[in-house]
Amino acid sequence: MGALLVIGDVVTDVVARHRGPLAAGTDTAAAIRTLPGGAGANVACWAAHSGCADVRLLGRVGADAAAWHERELVACGVRPLLVVDPEAPTGTVICLVDTGASAERTFLTDSGASLRLAPEDWSPALLDGVAHLHLSGYLFFSEPSRALVSVAQESARARGVRVSLDPASAGFLTELGVDRFLELVEGVDVLLPSRDEAYLLTGLPDPADAAAKLSRHVPLVVAKQGADGAVVARSGTVRAHVPALPATPRDTTGAGDAFTGAFLAALLGGAEPEEAAAEGCGAGATAVERVGGRPPTGP
C-alpha cells in the first residue's frame, strides 16, 4: 500500500450545540467547544484511523495555531506538511449544531490561511511514495489554491497517481459555478459529492441519476447520502446502493469527511469501490455520534 497525500484545509472549529431555533437579539444557551477541523485535515485523520499506515497532509495555517494543529494531526496518525502563513491567521469555522433529532449543522466560515495555498507550496517530491492524491474541494474556491491544484494534478498524472476530489461545499460551488467546477475536475479519477452537491452539479433530484450522470465526467463517483447510505456509479452506470449503518446523531459535522477518509483507506488497501463505500458508511455512522469532525484518538 502506497501513501495517501491529502491537500486541503486545516481550520479551527468552534462548535456550538444548541437546541431549537436561535433566539434573535438575545441569548441562546449552547455547549461550546474549540476543536481541530477542516475538511482536508478531517479526511486525513479518518483515513489514518481506518488503517492507512502512511497519510500525509499538505495545508496552510497561521502562526497563531500551527503548533496545536500539528500536534493534533500527529495524534491522529497523520504526517503534517503544514505551511505557516506569515500574514493570515488559521481559518476558523463556527459550527452551529441543532441538538434535535437530526443534529443538523450550519457553518460560518473564515477560511483564513487555508485558501492561500499556492503553487510555491508544491513540489513534485511531495508525491514520493504516494499512491493516491486526495483534494479537498475548498481548494477550488480561491485563485492561488486552484493554481496549486493544477500543478499537483499535473504532477500526479505524470507519475500515474490516482486523484480523488470531495466537492466540499454546495454554497461555495454555487458561487464558483457548475460549469467552471466541471472544467476544473477534468482528469480527476474519483468524485465524492454529497447529495446536495450531486444535485447542484447535475440538476437531477434523484441521487442515483445524479451519480450516473456525474460518472460520465469522472470515471468513479461515490455520492454520499447521509442516513440513506451511498450510491456508487462508474462510467455512466449505477453499480451499487450501499446502505448506511444505524446511528444516533449528536453532531453531523465531518460525517462526510469520515466517509471519504475511510473510503480512501479501504480503496488503497485493495477494496473494490462498493466495499470501500461500506467502510465509509461505517465511519460516517461513528462520526455523527461524536462532537466535532475528527475520529477518536488514544486507547
Side-chain angles (χ1 to χ4, degrees), residues 182-221:
L182 291 175
E183 287 175 14
L184 291 168
V185 301
E186 185 71 31
V188 167
D189 301 293
V190 186
L191 188 68
L192 295 125
S194 69
R195 184 199 310 267
D196 290 345
E197 292 153 7
Y199 170 66
L200 178 63
L201 290 169
T202 63
L204 299 175
D206 181 81
D209 292 343
K213 183 174 181 179
L214 284 171
S215 70
R216 298 186 188 105
H217 293 276
V218 177
L220 173 62
V221 173

Side-chain angles (χ1 to χ4, degrees), residues 7 12 85 87 120 131 136 140-141 155 165 197 202 207 210-211 218 231 239 285 288:
I7 309 178
T12 300
D85 195 298
E87 299 174 7
E120 306 84 71
S136 168
F140 285 77
F141 306 129
S155 295
L165 171 71
E197 292 153 7
T202 63
V218 177
V231 177
R239 301 300 178 94
V288 300

Side-chain angles (χ1 to χ4, degrees), residues 133-149:
L133 171 65
H134 178 73
L135 305 169
S136 168
Y138 283 108
L139 296 167
F140 285 77
F141 306 129
S142 80
E143 190 55 47
S145 53
R146 278 197 297 272
L148 177 140
V149 164

Side-chain angles (χ1 to χ4, degrees), residues 64-129:
D64 56 317
W68 178 60
H69 277 293
E70 182 159 320
R71 287 194 303 270
E72 292 292 332
L73 289 165
V74 169
C76 283
V78 174
R79 177 181 166 192
L81 307 168
L82 300 183
V83 179
V84 179
D85 195 298
E87 299 174 7
T90 302
T92 301
V93 175
I94 297 176
C95 312
L96 304 176
V97 181
D98 188 335
T99 58
S102 67
E104 264 311 325
R105 77 272 195 250
T106 301
F107 296 149
L108 301 174
T109 302
D110 177 353
S111 297
S114 65
L115 292 189
R116 288 163 57 93
L117 270 172
E120 306 84 71
D121 301 321
W122 176 256
S123 165
L126 290 168
L127 290 174
D128 289 351

Side-chain angles (χ1 to χ4, degrees), residues 5-6 48 61 69 109 118 140 143 161 209 224 226 231 281 290:
L5 173 62
V6 178
V61 295
H69 277 293
T109 302
F140 285 77
E143 190 55 47
V161 172
D209 292 343
K224 298 173 285 188
V231 177
C281 286
R290 296 176 49 78

